[in-house]
Amino acid sequence: MKDRIYRLVVFIMLIQCFIMSLGIAFATTLEVDLGNALRIEGGGGPTGVLGLMVLLTILSLAPSFLILTSAFTRIMVVMSFLRSALGTQQAPPNQVVIGLALFLTFFVMAPVYTEVNEEALKPFTAGSITQEEAIEKAVIPVKRFMLSNTREKDLALFIKLSDTYPDTPEEVSLVTLTPAFVISELRVAFQIGFLLFLPFIVIDLVVSSILMSMGMFMLPPVMISLPFKLLLFVMVDGWHLVVTSLIEGFR
């Protein structure tokens, strides 16, 4: 039941990615007849209110599943590390960082979402397949992407904790696969963040040593090192290198 609801949320998330307005009753997955539950007659009742609350809760959680089942986690964490390493505080602002991370995520996930659209959403809206078949087909490309970027060690950990032992990786449930995928992404993001910090730490150490040798103890080293870090980042075409590394890392 839990895995079926989880897969339903992923399906709703994929529909939102393509901005499609679909009137769907998710009865078989939730094991609740939401079509009848949402049909409020005579002012409605407890059943209609409950069904509406369940549907709204699922829709509100869909963006979170979009983040956790895509490349957004790694990209956003790396961008945050980069801004911290540069020491630019709020430059670029959060809106720019999040917007860039979102567009890079859709760029990386474009083949996956295209396959979902062709194999699941279009046939479902055309009425050639059922809702259950659409959910099954939509989950396959997402799971394939997540498995290709998940460490075996992390996946084995959550398989052991869930006490379920599937015969093949493709049979792993999304409830088990998603946390394994997330911690694998965080590990890679922290590795990239460590490499980003190294050259800027060297600049900070050099500037601090020079200021101390000159007796300028009251002058904050950050004020002097920031222009040099920005100059270094621009000279090596830092944004190009970071974005290239992130995208190639998923290929």
Side-chain angles (χ1 to χ4, degrees):
M1 173 63 178
K2 181 169 60 175
D3 184 50
R4 292 168 64 85
I5 295 178
Y6 193 96
R7 285 158 52 184
L8 171 63
V9 175
V10 173
F11 186 61
I12 299 177
M13 169 200 73
L14 294 172
I15 295 176
Q16 288 185 342
C17 291
F18 295 100
I19 319 176
M20 299 178 64
S21 300
L22 302 176
I24 305 173
F26 300 100
T28 57
T29 305
L30 284 176
E31 297 182 358
V32 175
D33 190 358
L34 293 184
N36 293 327
L38 292 176
R39 189 181 300 116
I40 302 175
E41 299 178 357
T47 306
V49 175
L50 178 61
L52 182 60
M53 289 180 60
V54 171
L55 183 60
L56 291 178
T57 301
I58 292 176
L59 292 176
S60 65
L61 292 176
S64 299
F65 286 96
L66 171 63
I67 292 173
L68 296 180
T69 58
S70 67
F72 183 83
T73 301
R74 182 192 304 186
I75 295 173
M76 189 62 202
V77 173
V78 170
M79 292 295 179
S80 300
F81 275 132
L82 176 60
R83 190 168 62 178
S84 299
L86 286 170
T88 54
Q89 302 300 325
Q90 296 299 319
N94 292 331
Q95 292 86 345
V96 175
V97 174
I98 295 175
L100 177 60
L102 282 173
F103 275 97
L104 290 177
T105 300
F106 286 121
F107 181 83
V108 172
M109 300 296 294
V112 177
Y113 293 152
T114 300
E115 183 177 354
V116 171
N117 186 40
E118 295 294 331
E119 299 294 331
L121 297 183
K122 284 185 177 180
F124 177 69
T125 54
S128 58
I129 60 175
T130 64
Q131 171 200 334
E132 188 70 20
E133 293 174 338
I135 294 175
E136 293 289 343
K137 291 179 178 293
V139 168
I140 292 175
V142 178
K143 289 179 66 175
R144 188 187 307 125
F145 170 81
M146 296 171 67
L147 285 170
S148 64
N149 292 280
T150 303
R151 293 196 308 165
E152 294 183 3
K153 181 179 179 180
D154 298 328
L155 184 58
L157 169 65
F158 284 96
I159 290 178
K160 180 180 179 181
L161 293 176
S162 64
D163 198 24
T164 57
Y165 299 94
D167 297 330
T168 61
E170 289 74 17
E171 296 179 3
V172 178
S173 66
L174 282 173
V175 177
T176 303
L177 178 58
T178 301
F181 170 74
V182 172
I183 64 174
S184 296
E185 289 292 279
L186 290 176
R187 181 178 183 272
V188 175
F190 274 61
Q191 289 176 334
I192 298 175
F194 172 76
L195 297 176
L196 288 174
F197 267 96
L198 285 180
F200 301 122
I201 288 177
V202 173
I203 294 177
D204 287 332
L205 290 175
V206 171
V207 171
S208 299
S209 301
I210 294 175
L211 292 178
M212 290 183 64
S213 64
M214 296 176 64
M216 298 181 180
F217 299 101
M218 302 301 295
L219 182 63
V222 177
M223 295 182 59
I224 306 300
S225 63
L226 179 57
F228 290 100
K229 289 192 286 187
L230 293 177
L231 179 62
L232 173 64
F233 191 71
V234 172
M235 288 180 61
V236 300
D237 200 1
W239 287 111
H240 178 83
L241 293 176
V242 171
V243 171
T244 301
S245 300
L246 287 171
I247 295 177
E248 292 295 334
F250 288 103
R251 295 181 178 178

